[in-house]
Each structure stands twice: as C-alpha cells, then as structure tokens.
Amino acid sequence: MDLLRFATAGSVDDGKSTLIGRLLYDSKAIFTDQLEAVEATSRSRGDEYTNLALLTDGLRAEREQGITIDVAYRYFATPRRKFIIADTPGHIQYTRNMVTGASTADLALILVDARKGLVEQSRRHAFLCSLLRVPHLVLCVNKMDLVDYSQEVFERIADEFTSFAAKLEAPDLTVIPISALHGDNLVTRSENMSWYEGPSLLHHLEHVHIASDRNLLDVRFPVQYVIEPGRYAGQLAGGVIKAGDEVMVLPSGLTTTVTHIETADGVLAEAYPPMSVTIRLADEIDIARGDLICRPHNAPVVAQDLEAMVCWMDETRPLTVGGKYAIKHTTRSVRTEIRGLQYRLDVNTLHRDESAADLALNEIGRVKLRTTVPLLADEYRRNRTTGGFIIIDESTNRTVGAGMIVKSA
C-alpha cells in the first residue's frame, strides 16, 4: 500500500482543521475516547455541534484561540492508501511552519471560504506550494452550504484560481466544492451539489497518481551509514537502481558495480525512491557517510558556490551577508558563508526587492552561498531531496532556514 503525504493550507478560519477532523471521523480513523474528549470540549466551549477541528488543534493555545499555530501531523488509512496529513497554520507569521509542512508533501489542499473567495493568503499559499514543487494542488471551495451550494459561486472562484495558478508552476490542479462541517463531497458525492460531476475529496486523494512524481531518471543514493566495506545503507533519493548496474561514487569519481540490493525483508531486484535499502558493491572503495552513489554519465553538480531560495526561520536574528552557518544537505553536513542577497521576495505580490539587506523571520529571498566542502547537488526543480537543504545556527544547533537550490557552479 503506497503512502500519500498532503498538506493543508489556506486563510485563517477557512476550515482546514474541520476538514481534517471530518476526514478522520468519516474514515473511522479516530478512537472513541478521542471523540468523547472532543464532544466534551465542544460542550464546554458552548458549541452547538461536535467541533471536529479540535481533533487537530492539539496545542492548548490553539484550542483557546480557535486557531492552528503548529504543524499538526495526523495519520490515517483507507483500504486503498495510507495518508500523512500536515495541518499547517494560515497566519502570515507562521509562514515557516507552512514551508515545513509542505516541503515533503505530494499534494497540497488549499481551502477557500466560498463566501470570501480568493484572498491574499490563498494566493500566498499557492505560490509557496509552487515554490516548494508540490506536484499536485487541490483547491477546496469550502462552506458551500453557506452560499446555498451555488454552482455560479463555485465556478467563479474556480476560474479565478485557475487563471492565477497558470502564472505558477502547478502541474496538476483539481477544484472540488465541499462543506467540511456537513461532510459534503468529502468521503462521498453530495446530493446537494448534483451539478458537480467530479470525484469526492477522499476518492481523489485515494486515486491521484504519485508514483511518477519522483525523479526516476537520475540515480541518487546518498550514503547514510557504512555497514562494512562494500555494504552501504541509505534512502534512495532518485532513479531506479538494479543489481548489475555500473555506478560511480562521488566525490572520488571511482566506478564499480552493484551486486545486491537488500532490505530487512530480503534481496530486491531493484530499488526506487523513497525506499531505504542496503547496497552491496563489487569493490571495496573508500566510501564515507555523505558520499553519493550515481550513474557514471549522470552525476549531480559538485559545487561550492550555490544560489538558493531561502525561507528564514529564526526570530532572534535575520540572515545577513557575511553570516556563517552549518548546512545539512542529504547526509552531508558542511559549513557555509552567505556571500550575497540578490533580492527579497514579497510572497503576496511576487515583487523582488533588490535593495534588501537581510531576511527576517518568515521572509524568502534568493541568496548566494559558498560552502567549505563541495555539495553533491541538483537543482530543486529536478530533485527535491538533492536540491534542498536546511541551515543550522552552530551556536545553538537550531534550524534557522530552509533552502532550495536554483543554481550551482
């Protein structure tokens, strides 16, 4: 059974938590005691109904304020597929949380309130999903019950969002009218919207094709652990690898042949991302954690000078030119210096401020970096794993930024 990771996004109070609570409830993925606790909390708050949003608003501050602050991860499964949901906050001051939740997502659900239509945050979240190369977007036009299930309202919002998404790199877009509160078009098709001929949300999530989203052309195997000479463990980040394949090890450039691919369940004929496997090589080459196994004529760029889009996540101090940090890229950790800030991006207007001197909390910009040791990298658009990295403050060991490589030299 395959796994779909999806993130929810949207403006404040568009119903993200209610949507997830309803999905969990209708797919029977919550325990009786969880439901009883939600019912009790709903009564104590004076709600006239069981507030399913409380299933995901796990922090006490979120329950008290009625908003989502942290990224809440939830897990459920149907007979067809397993799911991991990242319920991300809608407030602009939690942009970093949105980036964290969407960075590993196969699909993003963007909710809009049918009464309000597209708002600034809807566009911002759509852009962030595009920047993070989330392969599939689903626009859920929520609260259709409050506009009398109007086809005209739905089509107006769908047309507006489709024209906006055309400016972004959104390869697959689906638009679904729903009512999260009442369950319309979530698990089953709604009789209230007989004019809608598309799938329910859960049917779409179960059937959306994700196997071809990963890069299956470029073999990328960052070595995570050396079991013994000739045996190396890690997670395949790209390509398909088979026993008998000729491979090259970077940064040494030495070549050898794969003899076996193993997992805890036994020997495999082939491996593909995101499988975690052990690879046996024919020759005992000097290989260490952070090295990368690829094909001889299809290698990533080996570079110390990089340009990347960076989302800054540190509230204590901004990113400035000259700053020195550590970088975690695949299984390799190196030090880096910020050599330049080309522009700061206004996520709402897409305006580039080339006079910007720094990046403050939640701001995104294009940055030049120089690393102490070369990275074995692809552009983020080609491979989200070998093209992404995190920035770490060495003095505190805190993650202070997330980067997406756009150019390497």
Side-chain angles (χ1 to χ4, degrees):
M1 189 184 294
D2 66 348
L3 171 70
L4 176 77
R5 297 174 180 265
F6 69 93
T8 61
S11 184
V12 178
D13 201 32
D14 275 348
K16 298 186 301 297
S17 298
T18 303
L19 167 68
I20 294 172
R22 174 63 68 175
L23 273 177
L24 295 174
Y25 178 73
D26 286 355
S27 61
K28 298 178 174 56
I30 58 173
F31 297 110
T32 303
D33 59 336
Q34 287 178 298
L35 184 60
E36 290 172 351
V38 167
E39 288 172 343
T41 305
S42 299
R43 286 194 298 271
S44 68
R45 286 163 46 116
D47 293 333
E48 296 178 357
Y49 55 90
T50 301
N51 189 346
L52 294 172
L54 299 174
L55 284 168
T56 56
D57 287 343
L59 298 178
R60 178 174 295 177
E62 295 174 323
R63 295 194 179 193
E64 291 171 352
Q65 297 175 52
I67 61 171
T68 302
I69 297 173
D70 198 9
V71 179
Y73 290 96
R74 291 294 179 270
Y75 309 86
F76 76 103
T78 68
R80 293 193 64 90
R81 184 172 263 173
K82 295 178 183 177
F83 301 93
I84 298 178
I85 314 168
D87 183 20
T88 63
H91 292 65
I92 189 169
Q93 64 263 41
Y94 302 118
T95 297
R96 60 178 173 174
N97 304 66
M98 161 72 192
V99 168
T100 301
S103 62
T104 56
D106 304 302
L107 180 147
L109 296 182
I110 299 177
L111 268 74
V112 298
D113 187 326
R115 299 168 301 173
K116 302 174 185 175
L118 293 190
V119 295
E120 185 178 274
Q121 283 165 301
S122 311
R123 294 183 174 87
R124 183 174 76 249
H125 288 150
F127 169 73
L128 287 172
C129 291
S130 167
L131 184 70
L132 291 161
R133 304 286 167 186
V134 179
H136 305 277
L137 283 185
V138 178
L139 179 72
C140 290
V141 182
N142 194 20
K143 305 190 181 182
M144 288 296 293
D145 54 306
L146 300 181
V147 294
D148 297 324
Y149 300 103
S150 168
Q151 180 179 2
E152 182 184 346
V153 171
F154 168 73
E155 289 181 347
R156 184 179 70 246
I157 294 171
D159 290 345
E160 185 181 355
F161 188 83
T162 302
S163 62
F164 173 73
K167 304 173 188 174
L168 309 174
E169 293 192 37
D172 177 40
L173 173 63
T174 303
V175 187
I176 302 175
I178 65 168
S179 169
L181 188 62
H182 299 292
D184 290 287
N185 279 340
L186 285 194
V187 175
T188 56
R189 293 272 298 275
S190 170
E191 294 179 0
N192 294 315
M193 290 176 276
S194 56
W195 46 263
Y196 171 70
E197 298 179 348
S200 68
L201 176 59
L202 185 60
H203 183 276
H204 181 71
L205 294 176
E206 286 182 323
H207 292 84
V208 64
H209 185 65
I210 59 171
S212 60
D213 294 337
R214 302 186 184 275
N215 184 326
L216 299 178
L217 297 175
D218 309 322
V219 170
R220 302 289 185 265
F221 185 78
V223 175
Q224 182 175 344
Y225 185 69
V226 180
I227 298 173
E228 62 184 16
R231 288 183 70 204
Y232 309 98
Q235 184 178 43
L236 199 62
V240 178
I241 195 164
K242 305 182 187 72
D245 284 352
E246 184 185 11
V247 293
M248 178 170 68
V249 180
L250 293 177
S252 68
L254 297 174
T255 58
T256 183
T257 304
V258 176
T259 60
H260 295 84
I261 301 168
E262 305 165 339
T263 68
D265 297 324
V267 177
L268 300 178
E270 63 180 20
Y272 49 86
M275 292 174 65
S276 295
V277 296
T278 297
I279 290 180
R280 284 182 181 264
L281 300 180
D283 302 291
E284 292 186 7
I285 299 173
D286 184 13
I287 298 176
R289 174 185 169 90
D291 289 359
L292 184 136
I293 295 171
C294 62
R295 290 277 167 78
H297 304 294
N298 183 352
V301 174
V302 182
Q304 287 180 264
D305 292 297
L306 307 168
E307 293 182 21
M309 298 298 296
V310 169
C311 174
W312 195 243
M313 301 178 171
D314 188 10
E315 67 272 10
T316 59
R317 57 179 179 174
L319 175 147
T320 55
V321 176
K324 294 181 174 62
Y325 302 94
I327 276 186
K328 175 77 165 55
H329 172 264
T330 64
T331 55
R332 173 170 288 207
S333 297
V334 303
R335 289 192 169 97
T336 190
E337 179 182 356
I338 307 300
R339 287 293 180 94
L341 175 59
Q342 292 176 279
Y343 57 81
R344 180 171 56 216
L345 185 69
D346 186 322
V347 179
N348 299 318
T349 64
L350 306 187
H351 171 71
R352 299 179 178 184
D353 180 5
E354 297 181 359
S355 63
D358 58 32
L359 291 181
L361 174 65
N362 290 316
E363 291 184 334
I364 295 174
R366 183 159 172 156
V367 173
K368 287 186 174 182
L369 311 99
R370 156 73 61 99
T371 59
T372 53
V373 177
L375 296 185
L376 314 171
D378 295 290
E379 291 184 7
Y380 189 80
R381 65 168 54 242
R382 190 169 182 91
N383 190 310
R384 291 167 79 187
T385 301
T386 55
F389 60 85
I390 59 172
I391 303 174
I392 300 168
D393 184 331
E394 290 189 287
S395 62
T396 62
N397 205 35
R398 290 189 304 119
T399 299
V400 293
M404 293 145 278
I405 296 169
V406 292
K407 186 180 178 183
S408 52

